[in-house]
Amino acid sequence: MAGERHRIITIANQKGGVGKTTTAINLATALAAIGERVLIVDLDPQGNASTGLGIDRRDRKLSSYDLMVGDRGIPEVTLETAVPNLFIVPSTMDLLGIEMEISQQSDRVFKLRKALSSPEAMAFSYILLDCPPSFNLLTMNAMAAAHSVLVPLQCEFFALEGLSQLLETVSQVRRTVNPRLDIQGIVLTMFDARNNLAQQVVNDVRTHLGDKVYHTLIPRNVRVSEAPSYGKPAILYDLKCAGSQAYLQLASEVIQRERQRLAA
């Protein structure tokens, strides 16, 4: 589905360990499960999204590095996953050197946008960009290419502090390189209902950001944590666990927001 149904969403947070890649994998799987054609672009040199979808390192002949600097197109760098309708541009350690290679080029922040403007990229209804846990040239490329940003936020004490920095970054990108960029939503992750602090964080974030925050809370869940070691999204590993069910709900909310955007 091209045109208006084609959406590029950056999944970003400069903090590590907030459930960013887990969210990318499971949101993509949930969207694919309801018939959307979905592509993940793994922009983290660690390659956790690729590993979590069962892509062996030996099979990553080409990667997001080649997409951005190697003049390779989407068909050449894209691999099928075990999930029907879900594809991935994998990551390799080559990405570690990309900043040095392109930092002097005038179009350095638009490399990914150019790569994702092809007809083959437009054929995906959703493209999810999984960013590294830092604000660097890879994240900048992702934000320059995207329509919106989805922010996973761990239910912990310093959550709001880190979030304000990220929101300022989004504003800066909007002012300088991508006026269309907006916040698709903020998803609260690793929620533990037994923890009073977690509930306080939820209340604080909702008070400050209102309906930018998804209703869905992603719980701390052992099955979700185990799934990547089997090279599977949690939704394939254990569909009935609380974490999988939460990601299905999140996908429903993402689609609902997109419908509201189209209707506006």
Side-chain angles (χ1 to χ4, degrees):
M1 273 174 246
E4 287 193 312
R5 290 299 317 280
H6 168 76
R7 295 294 282 171
I8 303 173
I9 301 174
T10 290
I11 300 179
N13 192 322
Q14 68 269 43
K15 289 188 69 175
V18 298
K20 184 170 46 59
T21 297
T22 302
T23 296
I25 290 172
N26 287 291
L27 175 59
T29 301
L31 290 167
I34 56 175
E36 302 287 357
R37 195 161 183 266
V38 185
L39 176 68
I40 292 180
V41 181
D42 190 348
L43 294 172
D44 188 343
Q46 295 179 71
N48 291 337
S50 307
T51 303
L53 283 168
I55 307 298
D56 193 285
R57 290 191 182 275
R58 290 168 295 186
D59 295 328
R60 302 178 204 178
K61 304 289 191 287
L62 296 171
S63 69
S64 50
Y65 171 88
D66 301 284
L67 182 68
M68 291 174 69
V69 301
D71 293 325
R72 300 296 189 120
I74 286 286
E76 297 168 274
V77 299
T78 299
L79 299 176
E80 290 186 22
T81 73
V83 180
N85 296 323
L86 177 57
F87 301 81
I88 188 167
V89 177
S91 157
T92 59
M93 298 295 275
D94 291 342
L95 283 174
L96 287 170
I98 202 167
E99 197 134 355
M100 197 176 296
E101 277 189 57
I102 68 173
S103 61
Q104 301 305 311
Q105 297 177 21
S106 59
D107 64 344
R108 59 189 173 274
V109 301
F110 298 113
K111 296 287 188 183
L112 190 59
R113 182 192 288 186
K114 182 182 175 186
L116 296 181
S117 63
S118 67
E120 294 89 352
M122 295 288 286
F124 291 96
S125 43
Y126 286 94
I127 298 179
L128 304 186
L129 310 177
D130 187 33
C131 294
S134 58
F135 187 68
N136 57 19
L137 201 44
L138 287 166
T139 308
M140 191 72 169
N141 263 270
M143 288 192 179
H147 298 102
S148 60
V149 181
L150 189 155
V151 184
L153 195 68
Q154 187 177 351
C155 295
E156 60 165 25
F157 184 66
F158 289 115
L160 275 171
E161 186 177 287
L163 180 63
S164 61
Q165 294 172 339
L166 184 64
L167 295 179
E168 176 51 42
T169 298
V170 171
S171 296
Q172 186 181 348
V173 170
R174 192 185 294 125
R175 288 192 303 268
T176 55
V177 298
N178 186 3
R180 71 183 178 181
L181 188 68
D182 66 12
I183 301 289
Q184 175 19 269
I186 292 149
V187 59
L188 292 159
T189 63
M190 303 182 188
F191 176 71
D192 185 345
R194 300 164 300 178
N195 185 331
N196 290 337
L197 175 61
Q199 189 58 62
Q200 185 62 51
V201 170
V202 171
N203 295 341
D204 286 352
V205 174
R206 292 200 194 285
T207 298
H208 281 82
L209 294 155
D211 55 12
K212 283 290 184 195
V213 186
Y214 297 105
H215 296 296
T216 303
L217 294 172
I218 309 296
R220 278 197 183 277
N221 188 264
V222 173
R223 303 297 276 172
V224 170
S225 302
E226 288 173 352
S229 63
Y230 291 89
K232 291 181 177 180
I235 290 168
L236 278 192
Y237 180 64
D238 184 352
L239 176 62
K240 293 181 178 176
C241 77
S244 294
Q245 291 299 307
Y247 278 115
L248 289 168
Q249 288 173 20
L250 177 64
S252 174
E253 279 200 74
V254 167
I255 288 171
Q256 186 61 35
R257 291 190 180 199
E258 291 301 327
R259 284 182 182 148
Q260 288 167 353
R261 179 191 61 81
L262 285 172

